[in-house]
Amino acid sequence: MADGDMQGEGVGYWDLDRLVTDLAAARSRWRQEQQHHAEYGAEGFPSRANLVKITGALCGALFPLRLGPSLVRLHNEDAYVAETLQTVLSRLYGQIRLELIYAMKDDPIAAVDAAAARIIGEFAHSLPALRTLLDSDVEAAFLGDPAARSVDEVLICYPSMLAIIHHRLAHRLYELGAPLVARIISEIAHSHTGIDIHPGARIGHGFFIDHGTGVVIGETAIVGDRVRLYQGVTLGARSFPSDEKGALEKAQPRHPIIEDDVVIYAGATVLGRIIIGSRSVIGGNVWLTESVPADSSVRQAKARHEVTSRVEVSAPHRVHALLESTDGIGENI
């Protein structure tokens, strides 16, 4: 049977006019119920596809020789950056303007244009400072990971750096008043890396995420300088306050504060508006809902000797052979 015959035969299985009418009614009910937050999309909506290209171009402008196209060399680096920024900032302005049309729906369009111009202007002039901040992140990764052979390898290969670059850009836009565009940029990185950093999170310099898959950092989290996280770490909320009608209160401080020089190992979950004091070490798989003072060491409650004894009993000859063959290295396993 030809495809056209199959499609024609299937028409009788549904009532297309009724489907279109019922879907229109469902949309209408939703829009009427959500008047406190008017639905985007009637005239335009910030485009994820466009923001993927915009963010990629911004990465190239920040790191031309490593994240820019192969045609970039030292002699044409500045020309590439100038041409890229002229185009990409104009396109980003357009995406911000689409967001503000709805965020400022009661204001005249001239006010929208002025607000979008302010945001893109301040964002553009903050790029040199963002580059310096990102340099500290690259250096932290290089110094903190013995597997890293160069800062170039960190920048090109580490998924955490992709996530951090996107976060630095998104956070600046979030601060300036474009939270939706910022959130889309963060989700672009999330989909590529498995690292979920809300653009509202405030993160200090020298930030390093080792491996990174499964890391979650919530909107109101505050992370100090020179903090290191491993894969699977969650800086999340413990509870969600609601108003008298039962609706969740937005943007309330509900995520942890991580002070300077803290290390949080793989799988740790840190919940609520608690403080992890400077220079503390949070062990792997720890579940933490209370503040800890500076210089604390919080470790998973597992008896090492119990595990060792279990292995010894099950296969003692293999354990002894392993320890002998590694010439003492087994003590660090």
Side-chain angles (χ1 to χ4, degrees):
M1 182 181 294
D3 289 343
D5 294 339
M6 184 176 294
Q7 293 171 2
E9 183 176 314
V11 169
Y13 296 155
W14 55 80
D15 184 338
L16 185 59
D17 291 339
R18 180 178 175 182
L19 283 172
V20 171
T21 300
D22 290 348
L23 285 170
R27 293 195 302 271
S28 179
R29 286 195 302 271
W30 170 258
R31 289 166 182 166
Q32 290 174 5
E33 293 170 357
Q34 303 297 323
Q35 286 303 308
H36 63 280
H37 183 70
E39 183 183 66
Y40 291 85
E43 297 179 13
F45 189 79
S47 165
R48 179 172 177 137
N50 288 339
L51 284 167
V52 168
K53 297 176 183 178
I54 288 169
T55 310
L58 285 171
C59 290
L62 287 168
F63 297 95
L65 295 177
R66 295 296 172 261
L67 302 183
S70 58
L71 58 87
V72 181
R73 296 290 185 269
L74 283 174
H75 71 276
N76 63 357
E77 187 176 21
D78 286 343
Y80 163 75
V81 170
E83 181 180 353
T84 299
L85 288 180
Q86 184 65 33
T87 301
V88 76
L89 291 173
S90 296
R91 292 175 178 172
L92 182 57
Y93 167 83
Q95 298 299 306
I96 294 169
R97 186 176 181 276
L98 287 174
E99 174 177 350
L100 294 184
I101 286 173
Y102 293 93
M104 302 171 61
K105 62 182 184 298
D106 296 327
D107 295 335
I109 197 65
V112 173
D113 292 340
R118 176 191 61 81
I119 291 173
I120 197 64
E122 292 188 34
F123 175 79
H125 287 101
S126 66
L127 289 174
L130 287 177
R131 165 64 202 242
T132 300
L133 186 56
L134 287 164
D135 286 345
S136 75
D137 300 324
V138 173
E139 185 176 14
F142 175 67
L143 296 176
D145 186 0
R149 299 184 179 185
S150 68
V151 291
D152 292 328
E153 179 183 354
V154 168
L155 188 59
I156 296 170
C157 299
Y158 282 37
S160 60
M161 276 312 306
L162 179 64
I164 292 169
I165 292 171
H166 279 63
H167 173 72
R168 299 294 191 195
L169 295 170
H171 179 68
R172 185 65 181 134
L173 289 168
Y174 183 93
E175 286 183 317
L176 291 171
L180 178 61
V181 169
R183 187 64 186 270
I184 295 172
I185 291 173
S186 291
E187 288 305 317
I188 291 167
H190 183 196
S191 66
H192 281 87
T193 66
I195 299 170
D196 184 0
I197 310 177
H198 193 284
R202 294 162 50 191
I203 299 176
H205 68 78
F207 183 53
F208 176 38
I209 305 176
D210 203 348
H211 302 293
T213 304
V215 165
V216 176
I217 303 177
E219 177 185 19
T220 63
I222 300 175
V223 178
D225 298 332
R226 299 174 301 279
V227 169
R228 188 186 342 160
L229 308 181
Y230 286 79
Q231 68 272 20
V233 167
T234 296
L235 305 182
R238 185 178 181 183
S239 60
F240 303 95
S242 58
D243 59 23
E244 63 278 1
K245 296 181 180 179
L248 294 181
E249 295 182 1
K250 304 294 185 179
Q252 295 297 313
R254 60 194 184 278
H255 298 98
I257 298 172
I258 312 298
E259 294 186 340
D260 298 345
D261 301 295
V262 169
V263 178
I264 306 179
Y265 283 99
T269 299
V270 184
L271 300 180
R273 194 59 161 185
I274 63 176
I275 298 174
I276 307 302
S278 298
R279 299 174 300 282
S280 293
V281 176
I282 309 301
N285 298 318
V286 164
W287 182 277
L288 191 59
T289 58
E290 297 180 357
S291 296
V292 297
D295 302 299
S296 296
S297 180
V298 181
R299 302 190 181 279
Q300 183 70 2
K302 288 185 178 180
R304 181 179 176 184
H305 69 276
E306 179 184 341
V307 176
T308 303
S309 298
R310 191 176 301 154
V311 174
E312 289 276 357
V313 170
S314 63
H317 60 288
R318 295 184 183 179
V319 174
H320 290 306
L322 176 62
L323 293 176
E324 291 173 0
S325 65
T326 54
D327 192 27
I329 296 177
E331 296 176 1
N332 296 322
I333 295 177

